[in-house]
Amino acid sequence: MSALLDHLQTFIAFRTVGNDSATKAACLDWIETTFLSSSGLELVRGDVQGASYVFLRHPKPKMLWFGHTDVVPGSDDQFTLTSRDGRAYGRGVKDMKGADLTFLIAYKEACDRGAVPPVSVLLTSDEETGGHTPGELLDAGTLGVIPVAFTPDTGDTDAIVTEMKGALWVRVVATGKSGHAAMPWKSENPVPVLMEAVAALQKKFPQPSGDAWGVTLTPTLLSGSDARNRIPDEASCTVDVRFPPTVCKTPGEMFSLLQKLVPAGCRLEIVESADPMFCDPAHPLVRQIKAVADAVTGSSIPIGRDYGSSDARFFTARGIPAFLYGPVGGDLHGAKEWVSVKSLEEHVEINRRLFKELS
């Protein structure tokens, strides 16, 4: 097994899931010791609402590189790396521990040569749980001046991502009067009202038959009675809404649009939200990374968009250009999450060449 895969095995063995703050901190300890200690730069350790982070501050950064070390839960076997047919499998190999490693390995090599890249580094541990570490650190001034931010936290696209949808998780709530299901005339059942509300939302935003850059609205969680023969006094459905910046510029605009669609007897509650992200594809660093990636991979890397959301939104919402480009992989959050070993190796080389150009 190569040194890269050896490191990846160690990395994914840290079960950095949920609110396990001790494991998240231990994982960052390993990263600090293994990859960052030779930089000689000021290193800041802290946490935001219990989620640990590491920030390596360069005095004159040409960019901020950022990534996250937390992952979604997985089966026990997913925390042991396996590889076959040019792919590595395990929880976080693509999202995004493998992607993190491609930067960290090249960064340590440069530091060990005494050529510390002009890059500040931020590693967080709450991206998968909807945390706000980058936003809080930006607002506190901890990260200093950032000319541009870059992360390899892409989905299953092989493109350089300069645009991502905004996200809004909304709870649709219908209220009624509880009672025995055998005598429904004595109660006010909120379930039919909830069904009407969800149907109205889906009529406005029907499920697309394929790839779609418009608004998607997906019911995900249902809650109602605590017994099969009891009419509840409240029923709810959580919906996942994704919207491009061409439709709504903010989650607030999207929420106002949804409120106009639900019938009387229902209310909407915001559970969580994320701003859409947009970066000018002609930004100099976007073009520079594309040129390096084209040279390393021997192909023309497209510049495109992604359906998901990432911490890049915290930067663009504050007027800081941010974009994404990561290794090839698939089945993110799934039972067969994988990453291309060749692509990991290419991204290490991309980072090596980028550091030389930035220096």
Side-chain angles (χ1 to χ4, degrees):
M1 187 178 289
S2 68
L4 188 155
L5 294 183
D6 282 340
H7 283 314
L8 187 55
Q9 168 60 74
T10 301
F11 204 173
I12 72 167
F14 289 99
R15 300 192 183 206
T16 49
V17 300
N19 297 318
D20 190 344
S21 57
T23 301
K24 290 180 176 181
C27 181
L28 289 173
D29 288 343
W30 172 74
I31 290 173
E32 178 184 342
T33 301
T34 307
F35 301 104
L36 304 179
S37 58
S38 60
S39 72
L41 299 179
E42 177 188 1
L43 190 141
V44 179
R45 291 290 298 265
D47 72 88
V48 173
Q49 298 179 16
S52 298
Y53 69 84
V54 168
F55 175 54
L56 197 64
R57 179 183 287 114
H58 193 282
K60 295 180 179 180
K62 293 185 178 178
M63 76 171 190
L64 169 76
W65 180 94
F66 65 99
H68 67 86
T69 59
D70 56 320
V71 297
V72 298
S75 58
D76 288 347
D77 63 293
Q78 285 187 284
F79 293 93
T80 299
L81 187 73
T82 60
S83 59
R84 61 182 179 276
D85 301 326
R87 293 181 174 184
Y89 294 85
R91 176 57 77 232
V93 293
K94 165 62 179 167
D95 185 17
M96 66 170 292
K97 291 179 174 179
D100 288 337
L101 269 180
T102 65
F103 171 86
L104 293 170
I105 289 171
Y107 185 84
K108 174 178 169 54
E109 289 175 354
C111 291
D112 288 349
R113 295 194 309 270
V116 178
V119 176
S120 290
V121 180
L122 174 65
L123 285 155
T124 65
S125 63
D126 61 356
E127 195 270 353
E128 298 291 4
T129 53
H132 295 268
T133 295
E136 295 204 17
L137 295 179
L138 283 165
D139 291 342
T142 304
L143 304 184
V145 177
I146 302 170
V148 58
F150 170 71
T151 182
D153 189 18
T154 51
D156 58 5
T157 179
D158 61 354
I160 296 171
V161 176
T162 58
E163 187 175 2
M164 302 185 84
K165 288 184 178 182
L168 181 64
W169 292 271
V170 173
R171 188 167 172 255
V172 186
V173 183
T175 56
K177 179 183 177 183
S178 63
H180 200 293
M183 296 169 282
W185 58 88
K186 293 186 176 183
S187 306
E188 296 177 11
N189 194 340
V191 174
V193 181
L194 177 66
M195 293 170 63
E196 181 185 351
V198 174
L201 293 172
Q202 290 192 297
K203 182 179 180 180
K204 177 66 175 179
F205 303 112
Q207 179 174 312
S209 58
D211 289 352
W213 190 244
V215 176
T216 58
L217 186 146
T218 308
T220 55
L221 294 172
L222 286 170
S223 178
S225 180
D226 55 4
R228 62 176 177 266
N229 61 349
R230 177 178 179 271
I231 293 172
D233 55 12
E234 183 177 284
S236 69
C237 176
T238 300
V239 294
D240 176 301
V241 184
R242 306 295 173 123
F243 59 94
T246 51
V247 175
C248 293
K249 290 183 171 58
T250 66
E253 287 185 23
M254 190 72 234
F255 184 72
S256 296
L257 180 57
L258 297 177
Q259 282 185 308
K260 298 174 183 177
L261 301 174
V262 296
C266 274
R267 70 179 188 274
L268 299 182
E269 300 175 349
I270 295 178
V271 178
E272 186 61 79
S273 65
D275 288 302
M277 185 215 85
F278 177 80
C279 177
D280 184 356
H283 188 281
L285 189 61
V286 174
R287 308 307 301 184
Q288 185 175 14
I289 286 182
K290 173 175 167 50
V292 173
D294 287 352
V296 171
T297 63
S299 59
S300 179
I301 303 300
I303 295 177
R305 54 199 185 188
D306 203 356
Y307 300 105
S309 182
S310 84
D311 281 349
R313 70 187 189 273
F314 292 113
F315 298 93
T316 56
R318 291 161 175 80
I320 300 169
F323 64 100
L324 309 84
Y325 176 53
V328 175
D331 200 24
L332 282 72
H333 296 190
K336 300 292 185 181
E337 182 177 352
W338 64 274
V339 69
S340 161
V341 176
K342 178 184 177 183
S343 186
L344 288 177
E345 293 168 344
E346 288 175 340
H347 276 258
V348 173
E349 181 60 24
I350 289 168
N351 282 302
R352 287 172 179 147
R353 297 190 188 187
L354 178 64
F355 293 157
K356 290 180 180 178
E357 291 189 8
L358 291 176
S359 298

